[in-house]
Amino acid sequence: MTQEGSTDKNFQGTNYQQQEYVIKRTFGQKAKRHCAKFWWLHLIIFCLVFLTVALLVVYVGMPKIAQHQVDDSHLEFREAFFLNPTPESVEVTQKAVLHNPSTFTPTLDPFAADLFLVTAGTYASVSMLTLPMPGIHAKKATNASIDNQVIKINNVDALGDYAVAVMNNENITTALVGRTKLHLGKLPTQKIKFNSTSTYKTLNSLKGFNTTDVLINPLADAGTPNLSGNAFIPNPSLMTIEMGNVSLTLSVPIKNVDTIVGNATILNFKLVPGDNKLPMFGIIDNTKVFPALVGGKVNMTIIGQNATYNGQHLTYYEKALRSNVLVLEMNVQQILADSTAAARAASNSTSTAT
């Protein structure tokens, strides 16, 4: 019999108390409940992370990507013209193509690019010229030419070193260096450094130089030209170079010592790609040449000395001319025979005319 306030007893008379059991949730259930409750907080965090990453890509990654794309491009020179030179300037036309290997096609603003000679991978300490590069929409191959620009010489010595390298090497390397802005679609404008090297053929020491149609006039008055002919000058490069009036010294070995025996002049000296045949005239002292003959021939050393354009000396070209020594075997005996025959032909022509 049970009385109010008494405890329950089991069938053995042992007291027990009723307990409440709670179901324990799993981690997944807790996470689901948390997300359902705080979804707005997670959305805000996601947006902040996404925005941070996007900003890093645009403002940190994109400049590096843009610079990398520009670094991968290169300029190919197809023609170059150096005309109307003065001691302070030269007129430059440069036909060039910018090759862009990227799938992106950015646009570069026009910019000023310093031109440096590169020797064995080392840039010259100063630039020789500053070229006005045009705006470029960089596709696979894009025109990057400049036309008929009168360019001030930045450093005459640097330009002289360049002229020497052009004269005496088969190939040379130069670099164009500048800063500009890059545009790609709706992305922010990027500031980039343009630094592109190009290697191209040059004059190769004027190998193949020769003279043709050489005549000597023994009746010429003292101090007046008694030597005429043509200078044959191959130009394997794609460069057209105007130097004005060029003078050269002529010397022969007398008792194993190079002795100057005369000079020659080429007026309006202008080299174009391919073979050049330029008229020349000069004065030569035959009395000094004859003792040096061996079998009627002599090895004549020819060295450029002066280059003048509109009466002004072009020291940078003179530096190049003096750096290149040409030695040419001259068949003086044959030249004298040809000269005698030419004089007789001229005399007969005059007699017939009268």
Side-chain angles (χ1 to χ4, degrees):
M1 181 175 180
T2 302
Q3 297 180 352
E4 186 178 353
S6 65
T7 59
D8 294 335
K9 296 182 180 179
N10 61 16
F11 65 92
Q12 294 177 341
T14 305
N15 295 336
Y16 70 92
Q17 294 180 339
Q18 186 177 358
Q19 296 182 0
E20 180 181 358
Y21 291 91
V22 179
I23 299 174
K24 187 176 182 181
R25 294 186 178 88
T26 65
F27 175 79
Q29 291 173 323
K30 291 180 178 179
K32 185 176 180 180
R33 179 179 175 83
H34 175 81
C35 290
K37 187 175 182 179
F38 296 104
W39 63 268
W40 54 272
L41 178 61
H42 289 282
L43 180 61
I44 293 173
I45 293 173
F46 173 79
C47 292
L48 289 174
V49 171
F50 178 81
L51 182 60
T52 301
V53 171
L55 290 174
L56 286 173
V57 169
V58 171
Y59 291 101
V60 178
M62 276 304 298
K64 293 182 179 180
I65 294 172
Q67 185 64 62
H68 178 71
Q69 296 297 328
V70 172
D71 291 342
D72 280 349
S73 66
H74 74 278
L75 271 177
E76 176 195 358
F77 286 114
R78 295 189 171 177
E79 283 185 288
F81 298 80
F82 297 91
L83 307 176
N84 299 317
T86 76
E88 297 83 25
S89 66
V90 63
E91 182 183 304
V92 177
T93 293
Q94 171 187 284
K95 302 297 184 182
V97 172
L98 180 70
H99 294 277
N100 173 27
S102 172
T103 55
F104 298 105
T105 57
T107 298
L108 303 181
D109 286 349
F111 64 101
D114 289 324
L115 181 63
F116 293 85
L117 176 65
V118 181
T119 305
T122 301
Y123 286 41
S125 58
V126 293
S127 67
M128 60 188 107
L129 304 169
T130 299
L131 304 181
M133 295 297 292
I136 302 169
H137 183 53
K139 300 179 181 178
K140 291 297 181 184
T142 307
N143 178 49
S145 301
I146 61 174
D147 295 303
N148 307 319
Q149 296 291 318
V150 177
I151 307 298
K152 181 181 177 181
I153 298 170
N154 292 341
N155 186 285
V156 172
D157 290 336
L159 184 57
D161 292 340
Y162 172 73
V164 169
V166 168
M167 176 67 77
N168 294 293
N169 291 279
E170 183 177 1
N171 300 282
I172 67 166
T173 299
T174 54
L176 281 171
V177 179
R179 294 184 180 276
T180 185
K181 293 180 179 179
L182 179 147
H183 308 272
L184 182 61
K186 300 297 184 180
L187 293 174
T189 299
Q190 305 295 333
K191 294 181 179 180
I192 56 98
K193 182 177 182 181
F194 185 90
N195 187 342
S196 179
T197 59
S198 303
T199 299
Y200 44 93
K201 288 186 175 182
T202 44
L203 299 181
N204 197 25
S205 301
L206 302 183
K207 287 183 179 178
F209 174 89
N210 208 342
T211 56
T212 62
D213 307 318
V214 177
L215 298 175
I216 294 175
N217 179 9
L219 301 179
D221 293 334
T224 61
N226 63 349
L227 174 70
S228 64
N230 294 300
F232 174 80
I233 307 175
N235 176 6
S237 78
L238 295 174
M239 306 172 72
T240 297
I241 306 171
E242 192 170 37
M243 296 189 187
N245 298 333
V246 170
S247 65
L248 312 100
T249 58
L250 312 175
S251 59
V252 298
I254 299 177
K255 296 181 180 181
N256 296 322
V257 176
D258 268 351
T259 303
I260 293 178
V261 295
N263 62 75
T265 299
I266 301 174
L267 298 178
N268 302 317
F269 187 103
K270 183 179 181 179
L271 284 181
V272 299
D275 294 338
N276 295 262
K277 188 177 181 181
L278 304 175
M280 67 176 186
F281 64 89
I283 298 174
I284 192 165
D285 188 342
N286 295 323
T287 61
K288 291 182 179 180
V289 174
F290 292 150
L293 295 180
V294 177
K297 299 178 181 180
V298 67
N299 286 330
M300 183 167 289
T301 300
I302 304 169
I303 303 176
Q305 292 297 318
N306 298 314
T308 57
Y309 192 87
N310 289 335
Q312 295 180 302
H313 278 275
L314 308 174
T315 58
Y316 43 91
Y317 285 152
E318 292 176 346
K319 186 176 182 179
L321 289 169
R322 294 168 188 172
S323 71
N324 189 43
V325 178
L326 299 166
V327 178
L328 191 63
E329 183 183 72
M330 304 290 291
N331 189 335
V332 176
Q333 186 173 346
Q334 185 62 52
I335 291 171
L336 290 174
D338 292 342
S339 300
T340 300
R344 286 175 180 171
S347 176
N348 292 336
S349 177
T350 302
S351 299
T352 303
T354 57

